[in-house]
């Protein structure tokens, strides 16, 4: 029985666990070129703290844990963390969002450690664009990472999802290219197009889901997929039947999904966020580092934060509006 219910009767079963705010890329929509003021290392939750907190969340009703970041694969003790969390009784789904730069080496050990699913971020299938959007990333490495993921067993019983953040006039003409890529790859691959979210300052222009779907429908027949048991997250799906590919569209800006939000976010230094919106997000770190604390103290704090979750974020659809978002994507974890 879940105790993670808020005042609007939303039940939370999904925890996004950021393992670090550091990253080996500098994507233009996520980080400035010079990087950020990183969370001081002593504040980052240790492996044991992450596993301990994950256990508490699962006891409270979390069923799906996703590792994110920053880039989770830069964390040296990643395999031990994945293994520790995979062994928690009650974890039904364990996944990771990654840029897959080092997946050629890591995919198999991660699979063996208990990771079940991966979402791989890849914003363009053109090397020069990819390099521009990630400020120097090598597309070939990510493609090798996708192949390695497939060889390790991801993308067989459930899809490897490709996350594409769409920015107007940068990569919004590649929808069909991703569909073709998914269709030609031996793995079950599901491209998902995410509307750019302006955190802090708006630096780029959005292309909204509706215009991407219109673009795709002019290139190939598409059929909308109704919400169903496989499709409970925020993505809207269509099938590109000619290619036999399911395509997701995530529209945090043009079609906010706050009313059905079931996710919580824990930062690498233990701040718990119930919503991306500007709201207090107290830290669990100071409580777990107090030797006098009990697991009930943590549960109470978590319950309090969840109960106080706001009804929804106010991220604006219009380019000129000020965005009342607070925080940095690499701390929030996407
Ligand atoms: N480094 C990993 C990666 O890129 O997959 C995980 C962390 S990243 C912050 C998680 C997801 O957030 C990625 O799919 C990324 O593309 C997405 N993201 C980052 N900044 C975004 C923004 N401003 N708007 C929309 N999505 C964003
Ligand atoms: Fe790094 Fe992911 Fe942010 Fe890109 S989106 S800079 S890979 S954390």
């Amino acid at each position: 029985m879940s105790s993670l219910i808020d005042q609007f009767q939303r039940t939370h079963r999904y925890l996004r666990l950021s393992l670090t705010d550091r990253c080996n890329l500098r994507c233009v929509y996520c980080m400035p070129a010079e990087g950020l003021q990183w969370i001081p290392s002593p504040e980052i939750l240790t492996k044991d703290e992450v596993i301990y907190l994950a256990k508490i969340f699962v006891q409270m009703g979390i069923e799906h844990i996703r590792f994110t970041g920053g880039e989770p694969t830069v964390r040296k003790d990643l395999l031990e963390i994945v293994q520790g969390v995979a062994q928690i009784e009650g974890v039904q789904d364990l996944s990771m969002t990654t840029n897959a730069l080092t997946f050629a080496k890591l995919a198999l050990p991660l699979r063996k450690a208990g990771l079940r699913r991966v979402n791989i971020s890849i914003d363009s299938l053109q090397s020069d664009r990819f390099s521009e959007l990630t400020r120097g990333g090598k597309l070939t490495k990510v493609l090798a990472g996708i192949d390695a993921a497939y060889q390790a067993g991801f993308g067989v019983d459930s899809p490897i999802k490709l996350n594409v953040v769409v920015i107007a006039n940068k990569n919004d003409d590649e929808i069909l290219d991703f569909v073709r890529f998914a269709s030609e790859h031996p793995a079950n691959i599901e491209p998902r197009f995410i509307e750019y979210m302006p955190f802090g300052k708006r630096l780029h222009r959005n292309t909204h889901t509706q215009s991407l779907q219109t673009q795709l429908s002019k290139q190939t027949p598409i059929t909308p997929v109704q919400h169903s048991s496989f499709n409970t997250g925020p993505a809207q799906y269509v099938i590109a039947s000619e290619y036999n590919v399911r395509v997701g569209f995530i529209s945090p800006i043009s079609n906010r999904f706050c009313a059905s939000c079931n996710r919580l976010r824990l930062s690498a230094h233990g701040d718990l966020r119930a919503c991306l919106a500007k709201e207090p997000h107290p830290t669990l770190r100071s409580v777990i580092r107090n030797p006098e604390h009990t697991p009930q103290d943590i549960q109470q704090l978590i319950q309090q934060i969840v109960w106080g979750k706001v009804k929804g974020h106010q991220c604006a659809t219009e380019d000129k509006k000020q965005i009342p978002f607070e925080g940095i994507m690499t701390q929030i974890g996407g």
Side-chain angles (χ1 to χ4, degrees), residues 180-193:
R180 285 205 186 102
F181 173 81
S183 152
E184 285 161 13
H185 200 280
N188 176 0
I189 289 192
E190 188 177 286
R192 305 183 326 151
F193 300 96

Side-chain angles (χ1 to χ4, degrees), residues 90-125:
V91 176
Q92 294 179 18
D93 191 7
L94 197 58
S95 60
M96 178 179 289
T97 303
T98 174
N99 61 32
L101 272 188
T102 56
F103 244 51
K105 204 172 69 190
L106 273 178
L108 188 59
L110 280 169
R111 183 80 184 175
K112 286 186 175 158
L115 194 70
R116 300 324 314 157
R117 295 191 301 119
V118 281
N119 289 10
I120 294 179
S121 297
I122 174 169
D123 298 320
S124 174
L125 291 168

Side-chain angles (χ1 to χ4, degrees), residues 24-38:
N24 44 7
L25 288 180
R26 297 282 181 273
C27 302
V28 294
Y29 48 77
C30 181
M31 269 198 211
E34 65 280 11
L36 296 162
Q37 192 168 7
W38 309 118

Side-chain angles (χ1 to χ4, degrees), residues 41 83 92 96 150 159 168 201 242 267 269 283 311:
S41 299
Q83 205 165 30
Q92 294 179 18
M96 178 179 289
Y150 173 56
K201 248 196 309 194
E242 207 179 320
S267 75
H269 57 338
T283 186
K311 197 167 180 187

Side-chain angles (χ1 to χ4, degrees), residues 16 18 20 22-25 27-31 66-73 96-100 119-123 162-167 192 194-199 204 206 252-253 328-334:
R16 295 178 69 95
S18 173
T20 175
R22 272 86 162 161
C23 187
N24 44 7
L25 288 180
C27 302
V28 294
Y29 48 77
C30 181
M31 269 198 211
R66 172 176 299 279
F67 299 110
T68 175
E71 175 48 40
T73 56
M96 178 179 289
T97 303
T98 174
N99 61 32
N119 289 10
I120 294 179
S121 297
I122 174 169
D123 298 320
L162 301 187
N163 285 357
V164 184
V165 175
V166 183
I167 299 180
R192 305 183 326 151
I194 305 172
E195 288 173 347
Y196 157 66
M197 299 174 81
F199 276 80
H204 312 282
N206 287 105
I253 306 296
I328 301 168
M329 199 52 144
T330 50
Q331 287 188 10
I332 296 170

Side-chain angles (χ1 to χ4, degrees), residues 44-98:
I44 301 273
L45 298 181
T46 65
K47 159 182 72 88
D48 292 338
E49 288 171 339
V50 170
I51 297 169
Y52 174 67
L53 279 177
K55 211 174 275 178
I56 291 179
F57 276 102
V58 172
Q59 284 162 356
M60 295 180 78
I62 290 293
E63 295 170 348
H64 172 194
I65 294 182
R66 172 176 299 279
F67 299 110
T68 175
E71 175 48 40
T73 56
V74 304
R75 187 136 172 177
K76 296 211 162 52
D77 50 5
L78 176 67
L79 290 175
E80 290 153 275
I81 293 177
V82 172
Q83 205 165 30
V85 175
Q87 283 168 4
I88 298 171
E89 202 177 322
V91 176
Q92 294 179 18
D93 191 7
L94 197 58
S95 60
M96 178 179 289
T97 303
T98 174

Side-chain angles (χ1 to χ4, degrees), residues 184-230:
E184 285 161 13
H185 200 280
N188 176 0
I189 289 192
E190 188 177 286
R192 305 183 326 151
F193 300 96
I194 305 172
E195 288 173 347
Y196 157 66
M197 299 174 81
F199 276 80
K201 248 196 309 194
R202 185 188 287 276
L203 299 171
H204 312 282
R205 281 189 47 230
N206 287 105
T207 306
H208 291 163
T209 286
Q210 190 52 53
S211 75
L212 297 178
Q213 287 192 5
T214 304
Q215 178 196 133
L216 185 59
S217 68
K218 286 182 182 159
Q219 295 167 317
T220 189
I222 57 172
T223 320
V225 179
Q226 299 308 319
H227 259 264
S228 65
S229 52
F230 88 80

